[in-house]
Coordinates of all heavy atoms in Angstrom, one line a residue:
H47 N -10.5 3.4 22.8 CA -10.7 2.5 23.9 C -11.4 1.3 23.3 O -12.4 1.4 22.6 CB -11.6 3.1 25.0 CG -11.7 2.3 26.2 ND1 -12.7 1.4 26.4 CD2 -10.9 2.2 27.3 CE1 -12.5 0.7 27.6 NE2 -11.4 1.2 28.1
H48 N -10.9 0.1 23.6 CA -11.3 -1.1 22.9 C -12.8 -1.4 23.1 O -13.4 -2.1 22.2 CB -10.5 -2.3 23.4 CG -10.7 -2.7 24.8 ND1 -11.7 -3.6 25.1 CD2 -10.1 -2.3 25.9 CE1 -11.7 -3.8 26.4 NE2 -10.7 -3.0 27.0
A49 N -13.4 -1.0 24.2 CA -14.8 -1.3 24.4 C -15.8 -0.5 23.6 O -17.0 -0.8 23.5 CB -15.1 -1.1 25.9
D50 N -15.3 0.6 23.0 CA -16.2 1.6 22.3 C -16.0 1.6 20.8 O -16.6 2.4 20.1 CB -15.9 3.0 22.9 CG -16.1 3.1 24.4 OD1 -16.9 2.3 24.9 OD2 -15.4 3.9 25.0
V51 N -15.2 0.7 20.2 CA -14.9 0.8 18.8 C -15.0 -0.6 18.1 O -15.1 -1.6 18.8 CB -13.5 1.3 18.6 CG1 -13.3 2.8 19.1 CG2 -12.4 0.4 19.2
T52 N -15.0 -0.5 16.8 CA -15.0 -1.8 16.0 C -13.7 -2.5 16.1 O -12.7 -1.9 16.4 CB -15.4 -1.5 14.6 OG1 -14.3 -0.7 14.0 CG2 -16.7 -0.7 14.4
P53 N -13.7 -3.8 15.8 CA -12.4 -4.6 15.8 C -11.4 -4.0 14.9 O -10.2 -3.9 15.2 CB -12.8 -6.0 15.4 CG -14.2 -6.1 15.9 CD -14.8 -4.7 15.7
A54 N -11.8 -3.5 13.7 CA -10.9 -2.9 12.8 C -10.2 -1.6 13.4 O -9.0 -1.4 13.2 CB -11.6 -2.6 11.5
T55 N -11.0 -0.8 14.0 CA -10.4 0.4 14.6 C -9.5 0.1 15.7 O -8.4 0.7 15.9 CB -11.6 1.3 15.2 OG1 -12.5 1.6 14.1 CG2 -11.0 2.6 15.8
W56 N -9.8 -0.9 16.6 CA -8.9 -1.3 17.7 C -7.6 -1.9 17.1 O -6.5 -1.6 17.6 CB -9.6 -2.3 18.5 CG -8.8 -2.8 19.7 CD1 -8.3 -4.1 19.9 CD2 -8.2 -2.1 20.7 NE1 -7.6 -4.2 21.0 CE2 -7.5 -3.0 21.5 CE3 -8.3 -0.8 21.1 CZ2 -6.8 -2.6 22.7 CZ3 -7.6 -0.3 22.2 CH2 -6.9 -1.2 23.0
R57 N -7.7 -2.7 16.1 CA -6.5 -3.3 15.5 C -5.6 -2.2 14.9 O -4.4 -2.2 15.0 CB -6.8 -4.3 14.4 CG -7.3 -5.6 15.0 CD -7.3 -6.7 13.9 NE -8.3 -6.4 12.9 CZ -9.5 -6.9 12.9 NH1 -9.9 -7.7 14.0 NH2 -10.4 -6.6 12.0
A58 N -6.2 -1.2 14.3 CA -5.4 -0.1 13.8 C -4.7 0.7 14.9 O -3.6 1.1 14.8 CB -6.3 0.9 13.0
A59 N -5.5 0.9 16.0 CA -4.9 1.7 17.1 C -3.7 0.9 17.7 O -2.6 1.5 18.0 CB -5.9 1.9 18.2
V60 N -3.9 -0.4 17.9 CA -2.8 -1.2 18.5 C -1.6 -1.2 17.5 O -0.4 -1.1 18.0 CB -3.3 -2.6 18.7 CG1 -2.1 -3.5 19.1 CG2 -4.3 -2.6 19.8
A61 N -1.8 -1.3 16.2 CA -0.7 -1.4 15.2 C 0.1 -0.1 15.3 O 1.3 -0.1 15.2 CB -1.3 -1.6 13.8

Side-chain angles (χ1 to χ4, degrees):
H47 188 266
H48 68 88
D50 304 326
V51 296
T52 64
T55 301
W56 177 244
R57 283 193 292 268
V60 171

